[in-house]
Amino acid sequence: MSALPQTFADDVINQDLRTQFETFLDEHRRALNASLDGLTEEQARRRLVQSRTTLLGLVKHAIFVEKVWFDEAITCRSRADIGIPATPDESFILGEEDTIASIQSAHAEACEASRRAAANAGLDELVLGNRRGPLPLRWVYLHMLRELAQHCGHADILREQIVNPD
């Protein structure tokens, strides 16, 4: 499994904006990935809400999100070509092959691929493969921060219900 970078927000207070965006993204990526640490496969798959949302499903969905925003949006490849579901809702569906180890590894790999895909683009450079139309990479980073922050919050609540049910 690729390791997620270990730089933290406090380490980049006086760094350039790009470094700050990437550091904040990586903190959220690590937190979401780590939400599965120490759980059993059953706990990671446990449904505690009406939707398809589970801890394992959240991290699997994060793989989808990485590929939508840093592959589809940047390369303009279709979701079918990338090998991801057509809709966000489908990205939460777990198969028998999905395990904590396989999802954590695939997530770390997707995050690394995202970093590589964006590495040579400037923050104001337009990505052309999103359904909204051309978007600056800066907007993609902000959207990803929002998305990952929300899912980290979801993961915190689900994990608390699983680990401390009373």
Side-chain angles (χ1 to χ4, degrees):
M1 172 171 77
S2 300
L4 293 167
Q6 291 293 315
T7 306
F8 298 93
D10 284 350
D11 299 330
V12 299
I13 291 171
N14 296 311
Q15 299 291 318
D16 62 280
L17 187 57
R18 176 70 173 259
T19 300
Q20 290 174 347
F21 276 149
E22 291 173 355
T23 300
F24 274 70
L25 272 175
D26 283 337
E27 274 195 24
H28 286 80
R29 288 166 169 156
R30 280 193 311 272
L32 191 56
N33 193 295
S35 71
L36 298 172
D37 289 349
L39 298 180
T40 66
E41 296 294 333
E42 182 279 324
Q43 289 172 319
R45 290 173 169 271
R46 192 177 297 167
R47 279 182 67 179
L48 299 168
V49 294
Q50 292 295 319
S51 70
R52 291 180 170 153
T53 306
T54 64
L55 279 170
L56 193 62
L58 272 173
V59 181
K60 186 173 182 179
H61 171 70
I63 297 166
F64 168 83
V65 170
E66 293 284 343
K67 292 181 179 189
V68 165
W69 288 104
F70 291 102
D71 192 340
E72 181 183 37
I74 291 175
T75 69
C76 300
R77 294 189 318 149
S78 72
R79 291 179 185 188
D81 287 343
I82 297 167
I84 58 175
T87 67
D89 189 53
E90 293 173 281
S91 71
F92 285 90
I93 297 172
L94 298 171
E96 288 183 25
E97 71 283 0
D98 293 324
T99 65
I100 293 169
S102 72
I103 294 296
Q104 283 184 312
S105 179
H107 178 249
E109 290 169 12
C111 294
E112 178 59 30
S114 294
R115 277 191 228 70
R116 285 191 311 268
N120 294 321
L123 290 177
D124 294 324
E125 188 170 325
L126 296 180
V127 298
L128 305 175
N130 186 266
R131 63 182 165 82
R132 291 172 178 85
L135 297 167
L137 182 60
R138 172 189 323 274
W139 191 94
V140 171
Y141 279 153
L142 289 168
H143 177 81
M144 283 294 296
L145 281 170
R146 178 178 64 187
E147 176 112 8
L148 291 174
Q150 289 173 336
H151 292 321
C152 283
H154 299 147
D156 286 346
I157 292 167
L158 291 175
R159 187 173 170 95
E160 182 177 330
Q161 289 179 322
I162 291 167
V163 176
N164 302 313
D166 293 328

